Amino acid sequence: MKAIKSTAVLSLLVFLSNDVDATIIQSPLDKVDWQFSGDRFSCKLAKELKFDGSVAFIANSAQPYLVSFTSSQRPYFVDKVSLSVNYSPWEQNQPLRELLQGKEQGQHGLTFSGTESLHYLLNKMEKGAWGQISVSYNQHQETKRWDIPSVSFAPAYQAFKSCLAQMLPVGYEQARDNTFLFASSESRISAEQRKMLGDIARYIRYDREISALLIDGHTDLTGKSLDNLWLSRQRAQAVADELVALGIDRNLIQLRAHGQRYPAQQGTGDSANQQNRRVQLRLVKGDV
């Protein structure tokens, strides 16, 4: 499958209509051919248009689902943008259910963000519903609508869902630098931290370019220096041991204990102490 580094674009067949006199711009419905491609970081369904405009469903690791729409026929000024589902596209004047409010993106674009709502729309489109984008500009009393048909949608969407199930929970941007905070005198990994380390471990196992994991343990500025040095090592070791248990090669790990040196915040107040009791995990590609 073709790798997609940043965004997965889903280009759909688009109809354009005004409130009163409908002007339709379309390819024949029997020519609709949904295409799927994807990788472990992004998933893509696509239908290129012969005419003006495109709309994109974007699914990337650790990011909300996103719809991106572009059309030169979009009003230059926009007062309201909405994305709705049409449960009965073959029946005229059926009420729509609005799912999301959108915003302008450049001169011709629109964007919508929301995993739950877009997941709902995709599932309804699999069952035959259509999506609809509506744009209004009040000063000119102008409203334009673009229908998103689901003709021949189900087979490609099955591949899309399989891609989502295999997509890594984090990408390099989310995995490369993370800080784990600890309670006073504690070195135990919490359930939330264990889950995040699991996600990072899945990424490390996939990315063969990772050459080292730098794990740095720290404490706050209270207590004795030697005790803090020992505690910072225990914290760093706890993170390292969890990664090894998750299948990461111990030879990749470089562990360092700093005690109370290099505080994230100066002082011994509650806020400073909380930020200083930490382990920083950094991923390195290439030479350390």
Side-chain angles (χ1 to χ4, degrees), residues 217-221 228-229 257-264 276 278:
H218 301 265
T219 68
D220 59 32
L221 301 179
N228 285 337
L229 186 63
H258 302 287
Q260 61 194 42
R261 295 179 298 171
Y262 315 123
N276 290 333
R278 70 196 192 280

Side-chain angles (χ1 to χ4, degrees), residues 110-146:
L110 305 168
T111 58
F112 305 86
S113 179
T115 297
E116 184 177 347
S117 294
L118 295 179
H119 180 72
Y120 177 84
L121 174 59
L122 289 168
N123 284 341
K124 291 302 179 183
M125 288 178 64
E126 184 182 26
K127 297 176 174 64
W130 289 14
Q132 185 180 96
I133 292 173
S134 177
V135 179
S136 61
Y137 175 40
N138 296 337
Q139 184 174 338
H140 287 179
Q141 297 183 338
E142 181 180 18
T143 299
K144 293 185 178 180
R145 294 191 173 98
W146 293 261

